[in-house]
Amino acid sequence: MVPPPRFATVSFDNYITDPGQPSQAEAVDALRGFAGRLDGGAAAKRGRRRHWFRREAKPAASGGPRGMYLDGGYGVGKTHLLASLWHATPAAPELKAFGTFVELTNLVGALGFQQTVQTLSGHRLLCIDEFELDDPGDTVLVSTLLGKLVEAGVALAATSNTLPGKLGEGRFAAADFLREIQGLSAHFRTLRIDGEDYRHRGLPAAPAPHSDETVTRAARHIPGASLDDFPALLDHLSRVHPSRYGAMCDGIQAVCLTGVGPIPDQSTALRLVVLADRLYDREVPVLASGVPFDQLFSEEMLNGGYRKKYFRAISRLTALARDAKGLADVASSGR
């Protein structure tokens, strides 16, 4: 559980703040200070002697939230900052964990709740990217898990497009689980990060889709490229658990898709969102024919409870399409 390849070498120093958005520089300063304060706790933990027959004392309460919650629109650099915090925290890599919200819930599914608590309780820091609550079960599960980890002295950090008190809104009856949601919120200090999507800042419009012939030719010329018909890919995703999408992408140098079209239903759309995140994490360019990526999701989807997930997917797929421009040039030249 470490930052993905795209964020393997990021730092607070190479996060480019927008002078017109002071909240970005304020977030950097707050996170630097948070990382620095974690050092003392780690040193104390290293110096503590373990006893067989005496119950360990719980870490003293810090008098405030044990976590940082980065809230902001898509493309303002929240994951960059979260990974920078992971790198800056003065602890061995095995004492820090970084993963998406989906990966955290998958970990509980694989290990079981008690084993997950035991495994993560020895960590100094748990970073959770793309924090979302899509159903009541996740709300109770994560609320209980984070409460146990905070009691054990684990510091928390998370990113989301939704304020803690608004998690689950528009997706299930959040009011019925208000106590759990408020409990989650109490663990965090919220840092609002304003700004426009850096993936589009100062860049031309998204590239137009290519022809089927161009995409197919590129797949044949590029070592390690995949080639799939878009409807067939969506069907395949329905038969693979989303926790395995990352492994499915490993080793692929480029994704070539023919016949990209509007997503037929919300379940399929949410699976595609997970795939887009995993491709973006691994910096895999996407060359496609069919409709532009900003036409993947219906107006109903873009106005519904998952709208922020869909906008993030559009943003990331558009960035990966830009990265694929050189691949189309290779195909056109026949090299």
Side-chain angles (χ1 to χ4, degrees):
M1 298 185 71
V2 299
R6 180 179 288 272
F7 302 100
T9 60
V10 298
S11 69
F12 294 129
D13 290 335
N14 58 32
Y15 176 77
I16 302 174
T17 60
D18 182 346
Q21 302 290 348
S23 62
Q24 296 181 4
E26 292 167 4
V28 171
D29 290 341
L31 291 170
R32 282 187 193 272
F34 186 68
R37 290 193 296 275
L38 295 179
D39 186 38
K45 194 166 186 176
R46 287 194 297 269
R48 189 186 303 152
R49 189 180 298 274
R50 184 176 293 275
H51 300 275
W52 284 355
F53 303 110
R54 194 168 72 203
R55 188 184 294 257
E56 293 286 330
K58 290 182 179 178
S62 62
R66 284 285 299 164
M68 291 289 195
Y69 192 98
L70 311 184
D71 170 65
Y74 47 90
V76 296
K78 298 185 302 296
T79 302
H80 183 128
L81 290 173
L82 187 69
S84 298
L85 173 64
W86 189 93
H87 291 299
T89 296
E94 60 269 21
L95 296 180
K96 302 180 285 187
F98 186 106
T100 64
F101 180 82
V102 171
E103 288 169 336
L104 179 62
T105 56
N106 288 338
L107 181 67
V108 177
L111 298 182
F113 183 82
Q114 293 300 333
Q115 183 61 45
T116 301
V117 172
Q118 183 177 345
T119 299
L120 295 177
S121 290
H123 286 59
R124 292 305 308 145
L125 175 69
L126 170 62
C127 294
I128 310 169
D129 199 20
E130 300 157 18
F131 199 107
E132 277 293 349
L133 298 179
D134 293 339
D135 62 65
D138 281 348
T139 305
V140 177
L141 173 70
V142 174
S143 175
T144 306
L145 174 63
L146 296 189
K148 295 285 188 184
L149 296 180
V150 168
E151 287 180 6
V154 180
L156 308 173
T159 70
S160 180
N161 303 120
T162 307
L163 287 167
K166 298 292 186 181
L167 289 165
E169 190 175 75
R171 292 180 287 282
F172 61 89
D176 295 340
F177 294 86
L178 186 59
R179 184 170 61 182
E180 284 79 7
I181 292 172
Q182 289 175 336
L184 283 171
S185 179
H187 296 315
F188 296 101
R189 171 192 170 188
T190 300
L191 297 176
R192 173 68 191 180
I193 304 173
D194 299 305
E196 62 178 299
D197 187 346
Y198 79 91
R199 289 181 285 268
H200 302 275
R201 195 181 303 158
L203 293 175
H210 302 277
S211 67
D212 286 352
E213 181 183 7
T214 297
V215 173
T216 302
R217 187 184 305 118
R220 292 171 178 165
H221 281 81
I222 300 163
S226 65
L227 176 62
D228 293 281
D229 179 60
F230 189 64
L233 172 65
L234 298 181
D235 179 65
H236 181 67
L237 293 180
S238 70
R239 291 180 276 111
V240 179
H241 193 278
S243 65
R244 298 197 56 80
Y245 289 5
M248 188 173 69
C249 298
D250 288 340
I252 294 179
Q253 301 304 309
V255 167
C256 298
L257 298 173
T258 58
V260 172
I263 305 297
D265 59 80
Q266 191 136 263
S267 295
T268 302
L270 290 172
R271 286 192 288 267
L272 184 65
V273 167
V274 177
L275 179 65
D277 287 338
R278 300 293 80 80
L279 291 173
Y280 184 77
D281 288 344
R282 288 160 175 77
E283 301 182 298
V284 180
V286 177
L287 191 71
S289 67
V291 304
F293 287 130
D294 60 4
Q295 296 179 24
L296 283 173
F297 308 107
S298 68
E299 285 298 317
E300 182 181 1
M301 292 179 183
L302 294 178
N303 291 322
Y306 297 104
R307 59 189 178 277
K308 293 179 180 178
K309 286 178 178 284
Y310 299 145
F311 279 116
R312 184 181 75 232
I314 292 170
S315 172
R316 290 184 165 186
L317 287 171
T318 297
L320 295 177
R322 288 199 190 99
D323 293 344
K325 183 180 183 302
L327 306 182
D329 294 340
V330 168
S332 299
S333 66
R335 295 198 302 272

Short mmCIF file of all heavy atoms in Angstrom, two decimals, residues 58-109:
data_model
loop_
_atom_site.label_atom_id
_atom_site.label_comp_id
_atom_site.label_asym_id
_atom_site.label_seq_id
_atom_site.Cartn_x
_atom_site.Cartn_y
_atom_site.Cartn_z
N LYS A 58 -2.97 3.33 25.72
CA LYS A 58 -3.31 3.95 24.44
C LYS A 58 -2.57 5.27 24.31
O LYS A 58 -2.29 5.95 25.30
CB LYS A 58 -4.81 4.19 24.36
CG LYS A 58 -5.62 2.91 24.23
CD LYS A 58 -7.09 3.23 24.12
CE LYS A 58 -7.89 1.94 23.98
NZ LYS A 58 -9.34 2.21 23.90
N PRO A 59 -2.22 5.67 23.09
CA PRO A 59 -1.57 6.96 22.90
C PRO A 59 -2.42 8.09 23.44
O PRO A 59 -3.65 8.05 23.37
CB PRO A 59 -1.41 7.06 21.37
CG PRO A 59 -1.55 5.65 20.87
CD PRO A 59 -2.45 4.95 21.83
N ALA A 60 -1.76 9.08 23.96
CA ALA A 60 -2.50 10.23 24.50
C ALA A 60 -3.22 10.95 23.38
O ALA A 60 -2.73 11.07 22.26
CB ALA A 60 -1.54 11.17 25.22
N ALA A 61 -4.41 11.45 23.67
CA ALA A 61 -5.16 12.20 22.67
C ALA A 61 -4.43 13.49 22.34
O ALA A 61 -3.83 14.13 23.19
CB ALA A 61 -6.56 12.51 23.21
N SER A 62 -4.49 13.88 21.10
CA SER A 62 -3.77 15.07 20.66
C SER A 62 -4.55 16.35 20.96
O SER A 62 -4.05 17.44 20.75
CB SER A 62 -3.51 14.99 19.15
OG SER A 62 -4.75 14.96 18.45
N GLY A 63 -5.80 16.21 21.43
CA GLY A 63 -6.61 17.38 21.70
C GLY A 63 -7.31 17.92 20.48
O GLY A 63 -7.96 18.96 20.53
N GLY A 64 -7.21 17.25 19.37
CA GLY A 64 -7.85 17.69 18.13
C GLY A 64 -7.95 16.53 17.17
O GLY A 64 -7.59 15.40 17.49
N PRO A 65 -8.45 16.77 15.98
CA PRO A 65 -8.57 15.70 14.98
C PRO A 65 -7.23 15.04 14.69
O PRO A 65 -6.19 15.69 14.66
CB PRO A 65 -9.10 16.45 13.74
CG PRO A 65 -9.78 17.66 14.30
CD PRO A 65 -8.96 18.05 15.48
N ARG A 66 -7.28 13.74 14.47
CA ARG A 66 -6.07 12.97 14.18
C ARG A 66 -5.85 12.83 12.68
O ARG A 66 -5.04 12.01 12.25
CB ARG A 66 -6.19 11.57 14.80
CG ARG A 66 -5.97 11.53 16.29
CD ARG A 66 -4.50 11.68 16.63
NE ARG A 66 -3.70 10.59 16.06
CZ ARG A 66 -2.37 10.62 15.95
NH1 ARG A 66 -1.72 11.70 16.32
NH2 ARG A 66 -1.71 9.60 15.46
N GLY A 67 -6.57 13.62 11.89
CA GLY A 67 -6.42 13.46 10.46
C GLY A 67 -6.62 14.74 9.68
O GLY A 67 -7.09 15.75 10.20
N MET A 68 -6.22 14.68 8.42
CA MET A 68 -6.40 15.78 7.47
C MET A 68 -7.30 15.29 6.34
O MET A 68 -7.08 14.20 5.81
CB MET A 68 -5.06 16.24 6.91
CG MET A 68 -4.16 16.93 7.92
SD MET A 68 -4.82 18.55 8.35
CE MET A 68 -3.39 19.28 9.15
N TYR A 69 -8.26 16.12 5.98
CA TYR A 69 -9.22 15.77 4.94
C TYR A 69 -9.13 16.83 3.85
O TYR A 69 -9.47 17.99 4.07
CB TYR A 69 -10.63 15.73 5.55
CG TYR A 69 -11.69 15.11 4.68
CD1 TYR A 69 -12.07 13.78 4.85
CD2 TYR A 69 -12.33 15.86 3.70
CE1 TYR A 69 -13.08 13.22 4.07
CE2 TYR A 69 -13.33 15.30 2.91
CZ TYR A 69 -13.69 13.99 3.11
OH TYR A 69 -14.69 13.43 2.33
N LEU A 70 -8.64 16.43 2.67
CA LEU A 70 -8.44 17.36 1.56
C LEU A 70 -9.68 17.36 0.68
O LEU A 70 -9.96 16.38 -0.02
CB LEU A 70 -7.21 16.97 0.75
CG LEU A 70 -5.92 16.69 1.55
CD1 LEU A 70 -4.76 16.40 0.61
CD2 LEU A 70 -5.60 17.84 2.47
N ASP A 71 -10.39 18.45 0.70
CA ASP A 71 -11.63 18.57 -0.06
C ASP A 71 -11.44 19.57 -1.19
O ASP A 71 -10.85 20.64 -1.00
CB ASP A 71 -12.77 19.04 0.85
CG ASP A 71 -14.01 19.42 0.06
OD1 ASP A 71 -14.59 18.51 -0.56
OD2 ASP A 71 -14.38 20.61 0.05
N GLY A 72 -11.90 19.23 -2.37
CA GLY A 72 -11.79 20.14 -3.50
C GLY A 72 -12.27 19.47 -4.77
O GLY A 72 -12.55 18.27 -4.81
N GLY A 73 -12.38 20.25 -5.82
CA GLY A 73 -12.80 19.72 -7.11
C GLY A 73 -11.75 18.79 -7.69
O GLY A 73 -10.63 18.67 -7.21
N TYR A 74 -12.14 18.12 -8.79
CA TYR A 74 -11.21 17.22 -9.44
C TYR A 74 -10.11 18.03 -10.13
O TYR A 74 -10.33 19.13 -10.63
CB TYR A 74 -11.93 16.31 -10.44
CG TYR A 74 -12.89 17.02 -11.36
CD1 TYR A 74 -12.47 17.52 -12.58
CD2 TYR A 74 -14.21 17.23 -10.99
CE1 TYR A 74 -13.34 18.21 -13.42
CE2 TYR A 74 -15.08 17.91 -11.82
CZ TYR A 74 -14.64 18.38 -13.02
OH TYR A 74 -15.51 19.07 -13.85
N GLY A 75 -8.90 17.47 -10.11
CA GLY A 75 -7.80 18.09 -10.84
C GLY A 75 -7.10 19.24 -10.14
O GLY A 75 -6.35 19.97 -10.77
N VAL A 76 -7.31 19.42 -8.81
CA VAL A 76 -6.61 20.50 -8.11
C VAL A 76 -5.35 20.00 -7.40
O VAL A 76 -4.69 20.76 -6.70
CB VAL A 76 -7.54 21.21 -7.09
CG1 VAL A 76 -8.69 21.88 -7.82
CG2 VAL A 76 -8.05 20.25 -6.02
N GLY A 77 -5.04 18.71 -7.56
CA GLY A 77 -3.79 18.18 -7.01
C GLY A 77 -3.92 17.55 -5.64
O GLY A 77 -2.93 17.43 -4.91
N LYS A 78 -5.10 17.08 -5.29
CA LYS A 78 -5.29 16.48 -3.95
C LYS A 78 -4.47 15.20 -3.78
O LYS A 78 -3.84 14.99 -2.74
CB LYS A 78 -6.77 16.20 -3.71
CG LYS A 78 -7.67 17.43 -3.72
CD LYS A 78 -9.09 17.11 -3.35
CE LYS A 78 -9.73 16.08 -4.26
NZ LYS A 78 -9.86 16.57 -5.67
N THR A 79 -4.48 14.33 -4.81
CA THR A 79 -3.71 13.09 -4.69
C THR A 79 -2.22 13.39 -4.63
O THR A 79 -1.47 12.73 -3.90
CB THR A 79 -4.02 12.16 -5.88
OG1 THR A 79 -5.42 11.89 -5.92
CG2 THR A 79 -3.28 10.84 -5.75
N HIS A 80 -1.76 14.39 -5.38
CA HIS A 80 -0.35 14.81 -5.30
C HIS A 80 0.00 15.19 -3.86
O HIS A 80 1.04 14.77 -3.33
CB HIS A 80 -0.14 15.99 -6.25
CG HIS A 80 1.28 16.48 -6.32
ND1 HIS A 80 1.95 16.64 -7.52
CD2 HIS A 80 2.16 16.86 -5.36
CE1 HIS A 80 3.18 17.09 -7.27
NE2 HIS A 80 3.32 17.24 -5.96
N LEU A 81 -0.87 15.97 -3.22
CA LEU A 81 -0.60 16.40 -1.86
C LEU A 81 -0.67 15.24 -0.88
O LEU A 81 0.14 15.15 0.06
CB LEU A 81 -1.59 17.49 -1.45
CG LEU A 81 -1.40 18.84 -2.13
CD1 LEU A 81 -2.54 19.79 -1.77
CD2 LEU A 81 -0.06 19.47 -1.75
N LEU A 82 -1.61 14.34 -1.08
CA LEU A 82 -1.73 13.18 -0.19
C LEU A 82 -0.49 12.30 -0.29
O LEU A 82 0.05 11.85 0.73
CB LEU A 82 -2.98 12.38 -0.56
CG LEU A 82 -3.35 11.23 0.40
CD1 LEU A 82 -3.81 11.78 1.74
CD2 LEU A 82 -4.43 10.34 -0.22
N ALA A 83 -0.02 12.06 -1.52
CA ALA A 83 1.19 11.25 -1.70
C ALA A 83 2.41 11.99 -1.15
O ALA A 83 3.33 11.36 -0.59
CB ALA A 83 1.39 10.93 -3.18
N SER A 84 2.45 13.31 -1.28
CA SER A 84 3.55 14.08 -0.71
C SER A 84 3.60 13.94 0.80
O SER A 84 4.68 13.85 1.41
CB SER A 84 3.41 15.56 -1.09
OG SER A 84 3.47 15.74 -2.49
N LEU A 85 2.42 13.93 1.43
CA LEU A 85 2.36 13.72 2.88
C LEU A 85 2.92 12.35 3.23
O LEU A 85 3.68 12.21 4.20
CB LEU A 85 0.92 13.85 3.36
CG LEU A 85 0.66 13.49 4.83
CD1 LEU A 85 1.40 14.45 5.75
CD2 LEU A 85 -0.83 13.49 5.13
N TRP A 86 2.55 11.34 2.47
CA TRP A 86 3.07 9.98 2.71
C TRP A 86 4.59 9.98 2.63
O TRP A 86 5.27 9.44 3.51
CB TRP A 86 2.47 9.02 1.68
CG TRP A 86 2.76 7.56 1.95
CD1 TRP A 86 1.99 6.68 2.64
CD2 TRP A 86 3.93 6.82 1.52
NE1 TRP A 86 2.58 5.45 2.67
CE2 TRP A 86 3.76 5.51 1.99
CE3 TRP A 86 5.06 7.15 0.79
CZ2 TRP A 86 4.71 4.50 1.75
CZ3 TRP A 86 6.01 6.16 0.56
CH2 TRP A 86 5.83 4.86 1.03
N HIS A 87 5.13 10.60 1.59
CA HIS A 87 6.60 10.63 1.42
C HIS A 87 7.27 11.44 2.53
O HIS A 87 8.37 11.09 2.97
CB HIS A 87 6.96 11.22 0.06
CG HIS A 87 6.60 10.35 -1.11
ND1 HIS A 87 7.12 9.08 -1.29
CD2 HIS A 87 5.77 10.55 -2.18
CE1 HIS A 87 6.64 8.55 -2.40
NE2 HIS A 87 5.81 9.43 -2.96
N ALA A 88 6.62 12.53 2.97
CA ALA A 88 7.25 13.43 3.93
C ALA A 88 7.16 12.93 5.37
O ALA A 88 7.92 13.40 6.23
CB ALA A 88 6.61 14.82 3.83
N THR A 89 6.25 12.02 5.64
CA THR A 89 6.11 11.53 7.01
C THR A 89 7.33 10.73 7.42
O THR A 89 7.70 9.76 6.73
CB THR A 89 4.84 10.66 7.14
OG1 THR A 89 3.69 11.48 6.88
CG2 THR A 89 4.72 10.05 8.52
N PRO A 90 8.00 11.09 8.50
CA PRO A 90 9.27 10.45 8.90
C PRO A 90 9.03 9.09 9.55
O PRO A 90 9.09 8.93 10.77
CB PRO A 90 9.86 11.46 9.89
CG PRO A 90 8.69 12.17 10.46
CD PRO A 90 7.65 12.22 9.39
N ALA A 91 8.75 8.11 8.72
CA ALA A 91 8.55 6.74 9.18
C ALA A 91 8.92 5.80 8.05
O ALA A 91 8.88 6.18 6.87
CB ALA A 91 7.10 6.52 9.62
N ALA A 92 9.30 4.59 8.40
CA ALA A 92 9.65 3.59 7.38
C ALA A 92 8.43 3.30 6.52
O ALA A 92 7.28 3.40 6.99
CB ALA A 92 10.12 2.31 8.06
N PRO A 93 8.63 2.95 5.24
CA PRO A 93 7.50 2.69 4.34
C PRO A 93 6.52 1.67 4.89
O PRO A 93 5.30 1.78 4.67
CB PRO A 93 8.17 2.19 3.06
CG PRO A 93 9.52 2.83 3.08
CD PRO A 93 9.93 2.87 4.52
N GLU A 94 7.02 0.66 5.62
CA GLU A 94 6.13 -0.37 6.14
C GLU A 94 5.26 0.14 7.29
O GLU A 94 4.35 -0.57 7.74
CB GLU A 94 6.92 -1.60 6.59
CG GLU A 94 7.94 -1.34 7.68
CD GLU A 94 9.32 -1.00 7.13
OE1 GLU A 94 9.40 -0.58 5.95
OE2 GLU A 94 10.30 -1.17 7.87
N LEU A 95 5.54 1.36 7.78
CA LEU A 95 4.73 1.96 8.84
C LEU A 95 3.77 3.02 8.30
O LEU A 95 3.15 3.75 9.07
CB LEU A 95 5.62 2.57 9.93
CG LEU A 95 6.51 1.60 10.70
CD1 LEU A 95 7.34 2.34 11.73
CD2 LEU A 95 5.66 0.52 11.37
N LYS A 96 3.66 3.09 6.97
CA LYS A 96 2.74 4.02 6.32
C LYS A 96 1.95 3.25 5.27
O LYS A 96 2.50 2.37 4.61
CB LYS A 96 3.51 5.17 5.63
CG LYS A 96 4.39 5.97 6.57
CD LYS A 96 5.13 7.09 5.84
CE LYS A 96 6.28 6.57 4.99
NZ LYS A 96 7.09 7.69 4.43
N ALA A 97 0.68 3.57 5.14
CA ALA A 97 -0.15 2.89 4.14
C ALA A 97 -0.85 3.92 3.27
O ALA A 97 -1.32 4.94 3.77
CB ALA A 97 -1.18 1.99 4.82
N PHE A 98 -0.92 3.63 1.97
CA PHE A 98 -1.56 4.52 1.01
C PHE A 98 -2.43 3.67 0.10
O PHE A 98 -1.97 2.67 -0.47
CB PHE A 98 -0.49 5.25 0.17
CG PHE A 98 -1.05 6.31 -0.75
CD1 PHE A 98 -0.89 7.65 -0.46
CD2 PHE A 98 -1.71 5.96 -1.93
CE1 PHE A 98 -1.39 8.64 -1.32
CE2 PHE A 98 -2.21 6.92 -2.78
CZ PHE A 98 -2.05 8.26 -2.47
N GLY A 99 -3.69 4.05 -0.05
CA GLY A 99 -4.57 3.33 -0.95
C GLY A 99 -5.84 4.11 -1.20
O GLY A 99 -6.16 5.06 -0.49
N THR A 100 -6.57 3.71 -2.21
CA THR A 100 -7.86 4.33 -2.47
C THR A 100 -8.89 3.80 -1.47
O THR A 100 -8.67 2.77 -0.80
CB THR A 100 -8.35 4.04 -3.88
OG1 THR A 100 -8.58 2.62 -4.02
CG2 THR A 100 -7.33 4.49 -4.92
N PHE A 101 -10.00 4.48 -1.38
CA PHE A 101 -11.07 4.03 -0.50
C PHE A 101 -11.52 2.62 -0.89
O PHE A 101 -11.74 1.77 -0.02
CB PHE A 101 -12.24 5.01 -0.59
CG PHE A 101 -13.41 4.63 0.27
CD1 PHE A 101 -13.41 4.94 1.61
CD2 PHE A 101 -14.50 3.97 -0.28
CE1 PHE A 101 -14.50 4.58 2.41
CE2 PHE A 101 -15.58 3.61 0.52
CZ PHE A 101 -15.58 3.92 1.87
N VAL A 102 -11.62 2.37 -2.20
CA VAL A 102 -12.03 1.04 -2.66
C VAL A 102 -11.00 0.00 -2.24
O VAL A 102 -11.36 -1.11 -1.79
CB VAL A 102 -12.22 1.04 -4.19
CG1 VAL A 102 -12.43 -0.38 -4.71
CG2 VAL A 102 -13.38 1.93 -4.59
N GLU A 103 -9.73 0.32 -2.35
CA GLU A 103 -8.70 -0.64 -1.95
C GLU A 103 -8.74 -0.93 -0.45
O GLU A 103 -8.48 -2.05 -0.01
CB GLU A 103 -7.32 -0.11 -2.36
CG GLU A 103 -7.10 -0.17 -3.87
CD GLU A 103 -5.86 0.59 -4.32
OE1 GLU A 103 -5.41 1.51 -3.60
OE2 GLU A 103 -5.33 0.27 -5.42
N LEU A 104 -9.10 0.09 0.35
CA LEU A 104 -9.20 -0.12 1.79
C LEU A 104 -10.35 -1.07 2.11
O LEU A 104 -10.20 -2.00 2.92
CB LEU A 104 -9.41 1.22 2.50
CG LEU A 104 -9.57 1.16 4.02
CD1 LEU A 104 -8.30 0.60 4.68
CD2 LEU A 104 -9.90 2.54 4.59
N THR A 105 -11.51 -0.86 1.49
CA THR A 105 -12.63 -1.76 1.75
C THR A 105 -12.34 -3.16 1.21
O THR A 105 -12.75 -4.16 1.81
CB THR A 105 -13.94 -1.22 1.14
OG1 THR A 105 -13.75 -0.98 -0.26
CG2 THR A 105 -14.35 0.07 1.82
N ASN A 106 -11.59 -3.25 0.11
CA ASN A 106 -11.19 -4.56 -0.41
C ASN A 106 -10.25 -5.27 0.56
O ASN A 106 -10.28 -6.49 0.70
CB ASN A 106 -10.52 -4.42 -1.78
CG ASN A 106 -11.50 -4.06 -2.88
OD1 ASN A 106 -12.70 -4.29 -2.75
ND2 ASN A 106 -11.01 -3.48 -3.95
N LEU A 107 -9.38 -4.48 1.22
CA LEU A 107 -8.47 -5.06 2.20
C LEU A 107 -9.24 -5.69 3.35
O LEU A 107 -8.92 -6.80 3.80
CB LEU A 107 -7.52 -3.98 2.74
CG LEU A 107 -6.47 -4.43 3.77
CD1 LEU A 107 -5.47 -5.38 3.13
CD2 LEU A 107 -5.76 -3.22 4.37
N VAL A 108 -10.29 -5.00 3.81
CA VAL A 108 -11.13 -5.56 4.88
C VAL A 108 -11.79 -6.85 4.39
O VAL A 108 -11.87 -7.85 5.13
CB VAL A 108 -12.19 -4.55 5.33
CG1 VAL A 108 -13.10 -5.16 6.38
CG2 VAL A 108 -11.54 -3.29 5.89
N GLY A 109 -12.22 -6.85 3.13
CA GLY A 109 -12.84 -8.05 2.59
C GLY A 109 -11.88 -9.22 2.51
O GLY A 109 -12.26 -10.38 2.71
#
